[in-house]
Amino acid sequence: MRLYLRGFWLGLAVVSASLVGGAAAPRDRSPATLESAVLAEINFARTQPAAYAETLRRGDEDQGYGGSARQEAIEFVSRQRPLPPLSDSHGLTGAAARLADDQAQSGRVGHTSALRERFEANGVFSGIVAETISYGMTTPAAVVQQLIIDDGVPGRGHRAVLFDQSLSAAGVGCGPHRTYRYMCVIDFAGAVVRR
């Protein structure tokens, strides 16, 4: 687990093994609409955790995550205090989109390009940054639920990032993936300064 805090960064990726070679990429959704909807779903979870716990409770366990990890997530979210929404950052969106574009062509997974370099290439500089990546999910709700449930991830690092009160801005980049069909990168920062 890596968190960029004066020299450190947190990068996490989660893969839905159940969708390898499975679900088709979303239809009738432009990437900008999907990306905005993913951020809106994250903000729903952050600002209305009790209501989001109900969303998790009603979620589709056939999405490849569920059981005890889902129940643990419901209990975690139920106990959360509301947090301010994350602001949408054009620079963070550019940084996230760059990784999604790179992996669309290469088929790689994980944090394969330097987060800080991507941030700086998009004019963003911040002391605290983090990144999460979802593979295989094609709807905003599925992306965010996968990251919150965080099944199979020690320490539930994705969940911790989504509910980190020190983060105030985010950007989302989604696109196709050669192996998992679709992916969404979410880059976060405690503060965004355009350079």
Side-chain angles (χ1 to χ4, degrees), residues 16-173:
S16 173
S18 69
L19 288 181
V20 176
R27 294 178 200 185
D28 303 320
R29 268 197 202 272
S30 70
T33 302
L34 177 62
E35 292 158 359
S36 297
V38 167
L39 184 55
E41 187 81 9
I42 292 169
N43 281 333
F44 172 34
R46 285 175 61 95
T47 63
Q48 300 176 59
Y52 204 80
E54 284 303 312
T55 299
L56 286 171
R57 202 170 271 115
R58 291 188 313 267
D60 182 1
E61 294 195 26
D62 294 331
Q63 289 289 324
Y65 46 84
S68 62
R70 176 180 291 276
Q71 186 57 42
E72 177 192 322
I74 291 166
E75 292 168 11
F76 173 89
V77 174
S78 296
R79 292 189 307 266
Q80 295 307 297
R81 291 187 4 218
L83 296 171
L86 298 166
S87 63
D88 189 356
S89 165
H90 180 73
L92 293 173
T93 296
R98 182 173 157 195
L99 180 60
D101 291 345
D102 289 349
Q103 290 191 2
Q105 295 176 14
S106 69
R108 292 180 294 191
V109 296
H111 307 278
T112 55
S113 66
L115 180 63
R116 189 160 193 95
E117 290 173 16
R118 283 189 282 118
F119 276 39
E120 290 175 355
N122 285 279
V124 176
F125 180 80
S126 176
I128 301 170
V129 298
E131 177 172 86
T132 61
I133 307 173
S134 168
Y135 295 94
M137 298 295 134
T138 60
T139 67
V143 167
V144 175
Q145 288 184 32
Q146 181 189 43
L147 295 169
I148 290 174
I149 294 169
D150 229 3
D151 197 9
V153 177
R156 309 291 193 225
H158 300 97
R159 183 190 305 164
V161 170
L162 267 60
F163 289 96
D164 187 330
Q165 64 184 1
S166 67
L167 298 171
S168 66
V172 182

Side-chain angles (χ1 to χ4, degrees), residues 1 35 174:
M1 186 180 300
E35 292 158 359
C174 300

